[in-house]
Amino acid sequence: MKTKKAIEDYDIIRKVIDGDTNAFRQLVYKYKDVSLSLAYSILKSQTLAEDVLQDVFIKVFNKLKTFKFKSSFSTWLYRIVVNTSYNELKKRKTNISLSEKTNDTTLHLTEDRDYMKEEDQKHYINMALTHMRTDEALVLRLFYLCEFSIKEIEDITKFKPSKIKVDLHRGRENLNFQLKQLLGGDIKHLL
């Protein structure tokens, strides 16, 4: 059974295939933020992720006629984002190990703040994700941000379900560790 979101996407795709190139903007607008977040999880660079995303949307536009309407558009798109990002990572060989990253980023929050704004939460979580292994950060974003199931993550990443589950478990632990490193003892203010 197709969801309302899938049916809307299919209608937009058909318009683009039929020549309405302006309809493609709807897909870009709808999926650009999550796509950028996924690329950033892999590449650990905002600028590089933005460049890759431009390439991704050009590829998607050019290959939209090959979309078979068997999976959701988002799964198909995110698979392209993941593949393109990993290819760029291999090309640039920028997979920096955690030990090479600076450890002087520990921040201490003022005592009078008992909560953080949502923007601050996102900032620190994104910062912590950049210090994590690429696969762990990607799987965490797909599972929690995109709310994909293990099966959908498998379709997007081509990782085995056991690897996805291990990366989720280790990723949650590593995220907690990274947040503690960034915030010192003030991690409770993040939640």
Side-chain angles (χ1 to χ4, degrees):
M1 184 167 138
K2 306 262 189 253
T3 65
K4 181 180 176 185
K5 179 181 167 184
I7 293 169
E8 289 172 1
D9 287 349
Y10 292 171
D11 289 342
I12 295 169
I13 292 166
R14 284 186 183 94
K15 286 178 185 177
V16 175
I17 291 171
D18 289 341
D20 183 358
T21 56
N22 287 326
F24 189 70
R25 287 187 183 134
Q26 292 175 298
L27 293 174
V28 171
Y29 182 77
K30 188 173 184 178
Y31 291 104
K32 67 179 173 150
D33 292 337
V34 173
S35 296
L36 181 63
S37 179
L38 295 176
Y40 183 76
S41 292
I42 296 167
L43 298 165
K44 313 285 193 236
S45 163
Q46 184 75 18
T47 304
L48 191 54
E50 289 169 355
D51 290 345
V52 163
L53 200 58
Q54 288 179 0
D55 292 341
V56 164
F57 281 116
I58 290 169
K59 284 181 188 178
V60 168
F61 181 79
N62 290 329
K63 296 191 179 281
L64 204 53
K65 291 179 182 176
T66 67
F67 181 70
K68 299 189 184 337
F69 298 92
K70 291 182 181 176
S71 66
S72 70
F73 174 74
S74 61
T75 300
W76 185 74
L77 169 65
Y78 297 151
R79 180 75 194 136
I80 294 170
V81 171
V82 168
N83 283 342
T84 306
S85 298
Y86 273 118
N87 288 340
E88 184 66 26
L89 186 65
K90 287 176 192 172
K91 188 168 84 174
R92 294 185 179 263
K93 298 178 184 179
T94 58
N95 197 1
I96 300 170
S97 71
L98 184 59
S99 62
E100 292 174 73
K101 294 191 180 282
T102 57
N103 288 328
D104 59 344
T105 55
T106 302
L107 302 174
H108 297 284
L109 301 176
T110 58
E111 299 298 315
D112 56 8
R113 286 183 65 181
D114 30 284
Y115 68 94
M116 295 178 70
K117 295 179 182 172
E118 187 175 329
E119 309 86 55
D120 291 335
Q121 291 174 339
K122 289 178 186 176
H123 170 76
Y124 289 113
I125 289 171
N126 280 325
M127 190 182 300
L129 287 169
T130 64
H131 292 282
M132 295 174 58
R133 285 186 50 243
T134 300
D135 292 354
E136 290 174 3
L138 175 64
V139 169
L140 284 175
R141 285 186 195 266
L142 287 168
F143 191 77
Y144 290 107
L145 175 67
C146 302
E147 299 180 354
F148 281 122
S149 67
I150 301 293
K151 174 66 177 132
E152 290 169 317
I153 296 171
E154 180 184 8
D155 292 342
I156 292 168
T157 62
K158 300 301 182 201
F159 296 160
K160 294 183 184 215
S162 58
K163 176 180 175 27
I164 294 168
K165 291 174 186 175
V166 168
D167 282 343
L168 277 172
H169 176 73
R170 289 181 180 162
R172 284 187 290 261
E173 289 178 351
N174 196 2
L175 179 63
N176 188 42
F177 173 78
Q178 293 302 326
L179 289 171
K180 285 179 180 176
Q181 292 294 314
L182 290 169
L183 299 169
D186 296 322
I187 191 171
K188 65 184 175 211
H189 295 292
L190 184 64
L191 306 172

